[in-house]
């Protein structure tokens, strides 16, 4: 006897609009609460133009993994600086203050997975921890 398979298909034409953030960051949610009502994790494509950056922030609940697909990134996690390029991946734990920027000439593109799924109310400015 076969059990019923429940699959969620995320077609590009059915995804929510891109989220545009200060600093040039553009986020396209691929799976998660807004796409398929998936609570266990979320997947997003994130893009930064040359010179683009995210605000320094942290998550209280979500663990975030990133895989660089194109370009290069400067990542600061709890005052430690890292340089990432194609194929590099990183896991950022809850409560780690992080900021990513694109120091290169080409567009920075990466996939971001959050566990559990990213929610807007689980992103806090670094200032709330006394760090910027």
């Amino acid at each position: 006897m076969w059990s019923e398979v429940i699959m969620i298909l995320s077609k590009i034409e059915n995804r929510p609009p891109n989220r545009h953030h200060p600093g040039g960051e553009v986020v396209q949610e691929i799976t998660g609460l807004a796409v398929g009502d998936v609570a266990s994790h979320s997947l997003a494509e994130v893009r930064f133009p040359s010179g683009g950056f995210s605000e320094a922030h942290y998550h209280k609940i979500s663990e975030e993994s990133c895989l660089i697909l194109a370009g290069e990134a400067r990542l600061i996690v709890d005052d430690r600086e890292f340089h990432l390029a194609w194929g590099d991946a990183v896991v950022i734990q809850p409560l780690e203050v992080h900021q990513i920027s694109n120091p290169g000439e080409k567009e920075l593109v990466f996939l971001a997975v959050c566990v559990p799924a990213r929610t807007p109310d689980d992103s806090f400015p670094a200032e709330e921890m006394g760090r910027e």
Side-chain angles (χ1 to χ4, degrees):
M1 174 189 259
W2 292 91
S3 63
E4 184 178 338
V5 175
I6 300 173
M7 180 191 84
I8 296 166
L9 177 62
S10 174
K11 300 286 283 177
I12 196 162
E13 62 269 13
N14 297 325
R15 294 182 189 148
N18 290 344
R19 292 187 323 268
H20 295 266
H21 298 272
E25 178 182 17
V26 178
V27 179
Q28 172 64 71
E29 188 165 351
I30 299 169
T31 63
L33 292 170
V35 181
D37 199 29
V38 177
S40 62
H41 69 283
S42 59
L43 172 65
E45 179 186 73
V46 183
R47 295 177 174 271
F48 288 86
S50 177
F53 61 92
S54 70
E55 300 295 327
H57 65 285
Y58 68 97
H59 310 284
K60 291 182 181 178
I61 298 169
S62 292
E63 180 178 88
E64 183 175 3
S65 297
C66 300
L67 172 65
I68 306 298
L69 300 178
E72 59 183 288
R74 176 179 174 249
L75 174 66
I76 299 173
V77 179
D78 287 341
D79 300 322
R80 294 171 292 156
E81 186 173 326
F82 304 91
H83 181 266
L84 304 173
W86 176 85
D88 290 340
V90 62
V91 178
I92 301 165
Q93 299 295 328
L95 302 179
E96 289 183 319
V97 173
H98 54 286
Q99 180 178 33
I100 193 163
S101 61
N102 179 359
E105 296 295 318
K106 297 180 181 176
E107 183 179 47
L108 166 63
V109 181
F110 62 91
L111 293 177
V113 176
C114 291
V115 176
R118 187 202 72 78
T119 61
D121 60 346
D122 188 34
S123 188
F124 302 90
E127 304 87 54
E128 287 189 16
M129 286 188 101
R131 296 187 248 166
E132 295 182 35

